[in-house]
Amino acid sequence: MKKRYDTIVLGATYYGLGYASSHPDCLVLEEFQTVGGDFHHSLHPARMDAGAERAADTELGRLMRQYGVWTETGFDLLKVSPVAREFAARKMEGGMGILLDAHVISVEKCEADVIVTFITNEGIQSVKGSHLVDATVDCISAPSAVRRTAKSLNVFTVCMGPDLEAKLMAVCPGCEVTDGSNENEKLIQFPVPVDEPMTKAYQNMMEIWKEAFPGHEEKILFVADDFDAAYERIGAEGTDWVGGLASNPMEAFLKGAEAR
Amino acid sequence: MNYYTRKDGAVREADCETPAWRGSYDVIVAGGGSGGVYAALAAAREGKRVLLLEKSRWCGGQHVQGLVNGYYYGVRGGLYTQTDKQAQAEATDIFYDTTSDGKRIVIAGQLKKSGVEVRTLFLVTAVYTQGKTVCGVRVLLHRQEADLSCKMLIDAASDGHILRMLPIKLTMGRSRDGEPQPFSSVRSVYLDQMKYDGGLSVTVGDMGSRYKLFHEYRDNGYICQYDAEALTRAILRAHASHLKFMGEQSRFLFLSPIIGLREGVLYEGEDYLTLDDVLHSRVRTDNLLLWCFSDVDKHGSGIAFDDEIYQNWFACSNMSTCTVYIPVPVGAVVPKGWKGLTTAGRCISSDTYVNSAIRMNTDCFRIGEAVGTLSALATGYGQDPMAVPGGLLRSKLIGYGFFDEPHTYEPSFWNPGMRPEDRKFVSWTTDPAELRKALSTDCPAVALWSCYLAGKERLGDAVYEMSWSGDEMLRRNVGIALGLMRDERALPILHEIIRDRNTFYYMDCRRSNQMRSVIAICFCGQMRDGSAVDELLPILRPEEFERPMYHELLTPDYKRTITKEQNSVYFQHMSHTVVALTKIALAHPERRDEIRNALYAALDDGAYIRRMTDTPEWNAFYSAAKSCQDYVNENLG
């Protein structure tokens, strides 16, 4: 790893990967051991639109087509995560700086430079950059500059019977149910008050599920690791934050790639 | 006061004033994984004020987020059984996978109920000490740092996150080259039972009558996780490698968010456990923390490059799946000379071989619980865990039912999933009639290890006599037994086994049975047998690979098949030959040049690697293959 890059990118989100893949001399710092966490940690549903087609000609877009995660019929949010890792691995071999499991301690401005101090398994290190891009969902470089506006806890399952959505809505009218890519797959979003902690939200979700399916006829395959949350800017700080969630990974990637 | 951190690749120390503490705790647990969760619960059970810090979003570690859900051996009993019961009661009706999604919420509830203060997305960035007594930490808190005091700090971060900030002697992996165990990555999949034709790793459960949920593990390679770039590269490649299996019969769901590291740094504690001491029953038990239980489950195929004690147990005696009880003294969780500091989870003071045996889920939970109890008690003994009376700790743990499972401490052969009463206990023997009977079979493991323990002086003559019986199986196994005893009367028999390429597989184990020819090669090296050179040199030549034995499936075995990933028959013969010849060259200067030249001729162009494995350079099989060249370079220049 070098001591200085042109741009330090916080967050290996799709925006962050898109930005780093089309701007020279970037270092991407990611807190977790994953990439694309903006969609994969939260199970944020991907809604494809016409704009995403422009991404078909990008390297990531071609990979997604190659592995069948992006087809004419839609986008497989689950299968895209190893593809994103394959993309990141290739970019790393090609010279892009990426560090996973890197936790930011501080972001400081020093004259024209920004200095990011972070900690990994290796220990504490600092790196300088001419620019900072905060591609994280929650603006880690200036948390007070953003406010959470909506939140849900999302789960994924394969439904065994025809009434999953109706039974859930009867108990939790605010739930949204989206079809997955395969037969009978469902992605369910349980709305959560913006300040509610995860353990309470998780327990509430379990109570709703128990009430909706007292005969245990439906069960959950897995729960998202993190909330699916939207944020808006409220302060003058955090100008390096790129802001907001995109509709789908490719839109986010393109926004990053085309950003100045 | 001293301030320690790890910065720019080294431990940094500075004198400092006492900081303005943002909080004060009796016990801080760094790392909310398999050991840390139960360390925190146990310390809180003793009425202590406990803070648990975890860098990810959830506590639970490899067992929960890591999808390593099963219990492979380990001693049963302790706090973790309450987690299991509660998850079964509360989560079975809601989740298909109670061990991941179910347990993490149960663990969160247990921690809250017990009064443990839990902070996720927190990391320790520095440690405060008074001399060699830990008294506090600096933590990363919402991207700001804060200082917290404590009487006891438990490093439960499995990779020795705290230890690496302090001037503590650390090692990693095997003694020769520091290579740890390979790491793994796990994907979760489900599939239609009508289409399943077997071959996936771990069944999690049924999804109705039509589907089944699985976790599929892949060993990916060796990594030093303390190199951030290398770790990143390894994680990305490992996760991407699952792409090969997409589009097959299973439906991909997600990858485990944490990589499956099996080993991190090991350290010098007040007691240091070695495999040699464990197998020779030399470990002190007067100040016992707990017992662990497993086979020596060291992943990786490069046995030729391992320490000889491991080779003798795992390969040469064919004891690979024999389970043993390992006594862990209190001193094995206390860094030497330190107070206010203990370790929990798989990071204990041991060699890599003992570490590969104690890292199982239940043993990590129990190490955590025992260390949490110990650390809580130590707050009343001057922060010195070594000063806690052993009887006090033991009586506490007995009172909690920690030792309720009855043990008989003999080693045994036992398949996971079998009933405990079906375990086949073993006891060593020196009776020549019993030895003869066992050495006449394809299951000579117990007899072989008995010979090893007894030694040449006691049994050499009696065993040698058996070689004249006319029974070929007996004769050849006598050669192996004499080899273990370092009795030179083994050598003619070993040469014969090698010359004949006698790839006979022993059948003691449920997996990882060994080929006799490979064992014979290994012994010629261990005994620095100059007269074996002419038998060994032909194995190096390219035409050796044309022998049918390297292309036929000799015996289906979990780890000894010939696949594109590894031709394990060729790999074992070649790697052991390289090591044996190198050892002989070092002991016989008169043949050094001849051997060295032959080795370089065989290895220099790298063609031998492609005979061993078809995998890319970052794969564990490739690394193992390349170890041949590395070994020769290190030893013969």
Side-chain angles (χ1 to χ4, degrees):
Chain A
M1 200 193 76
K2 301 188 301 182
K3 283 292 176 194
R4 186 187 182 85
Y5 290 82
D6 185 64
T7 308
I8 316 284
V9 178
L10 303 183
T13 55
Y14 282 97
Y15 186 101
L17 290 176
Y19 187 96
S21 69
S22 61
H23 295 77
D25 200 29
C26 290
L27 173 66
V28 181
L29 296 175
E30 167 57 45
E31 190 173 14
F32 299 105
Q33 288 188 7
T34 54
V35 300
D38 41 342
F39 285 85
H40 305 307
H41 288 160
S42 61
L43 277 183
H44 181 70
R47 295 183 174 88
M48 299 306 284
D49 56 27
E53 277 306 312
R54 292 194 301 114
D57 213 25
T58 62
E59 189 178 344
L60 180 60
R62 286 193 293 275
L63 262 181
M64 292 205 185
R65 297 275 199 212
Q66 176 189 335
Y67 285 105
V69 304
W70 186 11
T71 65
E72 276 68 44
T73 51
F75 194 80
D76 188 333
L77 181 61
L78 302 188
K79 281 165 73 172
V80 77
S81 80
V83 176
R85 286 154 166 99
E86 170 71 17
F87 173 79
R90 292 186 187 192
K91 298 314 284 184
M92 196 175 178
E93 292 312 312
M96 184 199 289
I98 308 177
L99 288 182
L100 303 180
D101 211 357
H103 306 260
V104 171
I105 293 174
S106 65
V107 177
E108 292 163 11
K109 296 273 165 68
C110 179
E111 295 175 354
D113 287 340
V114 61
I115 302 173
V116 178
T117 301
F118 59 96
I119 183 168
T120 64
N121 258 2
E122 211 170 303
I124 295 174
Q125 296 171 274
S126 292
V127 66
K128 273 190 185 172
S130 304
H131 311 283
L132 180 78
V133 168
D134 187 336
T136 61
V137 171
D138 54 351
C139 189
I140 64 165
S141 59
S144 57
V146 299
R147 177 178 62 197
R148 199 181 289 147
T149 57
K151 194 160 94 171
S152 67
L153 179 61
N154 300 352
V155 310
F156 190 90
T157 196
V158 174
C159 62
M160 299 292 143
D163 305 324
L164 178 139
E165 186 167 351
K167 288 179 178 177
L168 275 173
M169 297 296 227
V171 175
C172 179
C175 274
E176 279 190 48
V177 181
T178 316
D179 286 340
S181 303
N182 286 20
E183 187 189 2
N184 299 323
E185 288 182 354
K186 303 288 178 192
L187 191 152
I188 304 145
Q189 295 168 269
F190 292 88
V192 176
V194 293
D195 293 322
E196 187 163 279
M198 175 58 88
T199 47
K200 190 159 185 338
Y202 208 103
Q203 282 156 347
N204 288 343
M205 178 272 292
M206 289 170 67
E207 289 303 320
I208 292 169
W209 197 274
K210 272 198 285 197
E211 193 178 334
F213 308 107
H216 325 307
E217 64 272 31
E218 302 285 356
K219 292 188 187 180
I220 296 170
L221 252 181
F222 68 97
V223 184
D225 236 21
D226 194 15
F227 287 121
D228 181 8
Y231 292 82
E232 66 177 8
R233 194 193 300 276
I234 56 170
E237 276 187 282
T239 53
D240 309 308
W241 184 55
V242 303
L245 279 172
S247 300
N248 58 72
M250 294 317 302
E251 181 193 323
F253 183 84
L254 264 180
K255 274 172 83 170
E258 294 170 350
R260 289 205 204 148
Chain B
M1 190 164 285
N2 308 103
Y3 172 93
Y4 286 97
T5 189
R6 188 168 191 94
K7 193 168 176 182
D8 297 325
V11 172
R12 308 285 176 190
E13 180 194 348
D15 293 334
C16 65
E17 298 296 318
T18 304
W21 302 115
R22 285 264 301 257
S24 291
Y25 298 89
D26 294 314
V27 179
I28 292 179
V29 183
S34 300
V37 163
Y38 296 102
L41 287 171
R45 184 172 58 186
E46 300 304 316
K48 300 301 171 185
R49 186 166 181 226
V50 181
L51 171 68
L52 174 59
L53 302 167
E54 166 55 38
K55 71 175 180 184
S56 70
R57 291 191 183 87
W58 290 92
C59 293
Q62 285 292 344
H63 178 58
V64 177
Q65 276 82 269
L67 307 183
V68 183
N69 300 141
Y71 291 158
Y72 183 81
Y73 295 127
V75 175
R76 301 289 191 255
L79 276 170
Y80 78 89
T81 59
Q82 295 173 22
T83 310
D84 289 351
K85 277 190 197 136
Q86 197 174 335
Q88 190 68 19
E90 296 175 9
T92 305
D93 295 332
I94 301 174
F95 303 105
Y96 290 115
D97 182 1
T98 53
T99 49
S100 300
D101 291 315
K103 272 195 186 172
R104 63 178 169 177
I105 193 65
V106 165
I107 285 169
Q110 286 179 315
L111 289 164
K112 185 174 178 189
K113 191 173 172 189
S114 67
V116 174
E117 192 176 326
V118 179
R119 294 281 178 258
T120 55
L121 302 176
F122 269 49
L123 269 182
V124 173
T125 57
V127 181
Y128 290 98
T129 75
Q130 294 274 15
K132 290 182 84 174
T133 300
V134 172
C135 55
V137 293
R138 172 163 283 193
V139 297
L140 182 55
L141 155 75
H142 296 307
R143 284 99 202 177
Q144 293 178 354
E145 290 183 291
D147 298 314
L148 308 172
S149 76
C150 63
K151 293 177 186 160
M152 290 297 299
L153 175 64
I154 302 177
D155 185 347
S158 71
D159 287 334
H161 181 71
I162 302 294
L163 301 182
R164 295 187 77 245
M165 294 181 191
L166 297 168
I168 291 175
K169 189 175 166 192
L170 302 172
T171 58
M172 184 146 165
R174 63 188 176 198
S175 56
R176 181 185 79 77
D177 57 2
E179 183 184 270
Q181 295 202 58
F183 70 97
S184 70
S185 65
V186 187
R187 69 179 185 273
S188 183
V189 302
Y190 77 86
L191 49 76
D192 188 329
Q193 297 200 57
M194 296 295 293
K195 297 177 187 168
Y196 178 50
D197 61 6
L200 287 178
S201 285
V202 177
T203 309
V204 177
D206 290 326
M207 295 162 51
S209 58
R210 182 172 171 188
Y211 300 107
K212 250 179 157 53
L213 179 62
F214 285 91
H215 293 154
E216 179 68 0
Y217 302 82
R218 286 185 55 74
D219 272 2
N220 288 107
Y222 300 100
I223 186 65
C224 173
Q225 58 265 49
Y226 308 108
D227 178 332
E229 273 188 279
L231 178 62
T232 298
R233 190 172 291 114
I235 291 170
L236 292 173
R237 279 177 175 154
H239 283 168
S241 73
H242 290 272
L243 282 170
K244 278 196 291 198
F245 304 97
M246 290 194 352
E248 291 184 1
Q249 55 183 324
S250 59
R251 164 36 166 175
F252 175 87
L253 289 172
F254 63 94
L255 295 163
S256 162
I258 52 177
I259 208 75
L261 294 167
R262 290 195 175 88
E263 189 174 351
V265 288
L266 304 168
Y267 67 94
E268 186 186 21
E270 295 291 350
D271 280 294
Y272 182 77
L273 290 171
T274 67
L275 183 64
D276 202 26
D277 284 340
V278 168
L279 295 178
H280 286 95
S281 303
R282 289 193 294 251
V283 180
R284 60 180 288 192
T285 55
D286 55 314
N287 193 13
L288 195 66
L289 184 71
L290 82 168
W291 290 86
C292 293
F293 173 68
S294 179
D295 55 18
V296 182
D297 187 31
K298 184 177 182 295
H299 287 233
S301 51
I303 300 165
F305 310 104
D306 275 301
D307 293 359
E308 288 184 0
I309 180 65
Y310 175 71
Q311 290 178 337
N312 288 339
W313 171 261
F314 189 95
C316 301
S317 303
N318 204 45
M319 295 293 270
S320 63
T321 62
C322 181
T323 47
V324 294
Y325 279 93
I326 297 161
V328 179
V330 166
V333 297
V334 180
K336 194 174 182 68
W338 284 82
K339 293 183 185 177
L341 180 64
T342 51
T343 63
R346 61 168 163 75
C347 181
I348 69 166
S349 171
S350 76
D351 67 14
T352 185
Y353 304 110
V354 169
N355 201 256
S356 68
I358 62 92
R359 61 181 178 82
M360 307 312 164
N361 275 326
T362 66
D363 283 341
C364 279
F365 302 151
R366 287 168 53 83
I367 291 172
E369 181 176 352
V371 168
T373 307
L374 170 72
S375 302
L377 293 172
T379 61
Y381 285 88
Q383 298 173 270
D384 185 0
M386 300 304 292
V388 174
L392 173 61
L393 173 65
R394 190 162 182 88
S395 66
K396 282 265 181 197
L397 293 174
I398 288 172
Y400 295 133
F402 189 77
F403 294 113
D404 275 355
E405 185 186 77
H407 300 305
T408 46
Y409 293 99
E410 289 92 350
S412 59
F413 285 100
W414 186 28
N415 290 358
M418 281 169 67
R419 300 174 308 165
E421 54 267 33
D422 293 331
R423 200 191 295 187
K424 186 175 139 196
F425 286 100
V426 302
S427 48
W428 318 121
T429 180
T430 52
D431 176 66
E434 287 181 20
L435 289 171
R436 184 190 179 103
K437 189 175 168 191
L439 289 172
S440 303
T441 71
D442 60 1
C443 294
V446 175
L448 290 173
W449 190 255
S450 296
C451 292
Y452 173 80
L453 288 176
K456 177 169 73 172
E457 299 304 318
R458 194 161 172 199
L459 279 180
D461 289 343
V463 171
Y464 177 63
E465 283 301 312
M466 299 174 198
S467 68
W468 297 102
S469 70
D471 176 338
E472 183 173 302
M473 175 74 85
L474 177 59
R475 180 167 182 277
R476 290 188 164 183
N477 288 347
V478 160
I480 302 299
L482 291 171
L484 273 164
M485 290 190 279
R486 293 288 187 273
D487 189 320
E488 291 196 348
R489 290 175 287 189
L491 296 177
I493 305 173
L494 297 178
H495 295 177
E496 177 192 304
I497 292 171
I498 296 169
R499 195 180 311 126
D500 292 348
R501 302 293 190 272
N502 179 234
T503 53
F504 179 79
Y505 270 104
Y506 292 127
M507 295 304 290
D508 300 271
C509 303
R510 58 184 172 79
R511 60 167 169 82
S512 309
N513 285 296
Q514 302 297 308
M515 290 176 280
R516 200 151 50 193
S517 46
V518 170
I519 299 172
I521 296 169
C522 182
F523 281 141
C524 290
Q526 288 189 8
M527 294 169 78
R528 282 39 175 190
D529 174 22
S531 63
V533 174
D534 294 332
E535 303 295 351
L536 296 173
L537 285 176
I539 298 175
L540 297 179
R541 296 181 193 135
E543 53 267 32
E544 169 75 13
F545 189 63
E546 290 162 24
R547 289 179 181 262
M549 67 190 242
Y550 299 118
H551 308 283
E552 297 162 353
L553 191 62
L554 299 176
T555 302
D557 192 274
Y558 166 59
K559 284 186 176 173
R560 291 293 178 263
T561 52
I562 297 174
T563 65
K564 271 192 181 174
E565 286 200 315
Q566 190 188 52
N567 184 325
S568 67
V569 178
Y570 184 73
F571 172 78
Q572 293 300 345
H573 281 83
M574 182 68 167
S575 61
H576 277 277
T577 298
V578 165
V579 171
L581 282 169
T582 304
K583 288 180 177 177
I584 294 168
L586 290 170
H588 293 269
E590 74 282 5
R591 299 202 73 169
R592 181 185 167 119
D593 284 345
E594 174 200 358
I595 294 171
R596 185 176 177 281
N597 291 342
L599 284 166
Y600 275 110
L603 302 176
D604 262 359
D605 67 357
Y608 76 96
I609 296 181
R610 285 297 155 218
R611 292 194 281 270
M612 291 175 175
T613 180
D614 198 21
T615 52
E617 287 181 21
W618 49 266
N619 184 277
F621 292 126
Y622 190 100
S623 299
K626 194 174 163 300
S627 291
C628 292
Q629 181 82 66
D630 295 338
Y631 188 85
V632 173
N633 289 346
E634 282 159 26
N635 287 284
L636 297 181

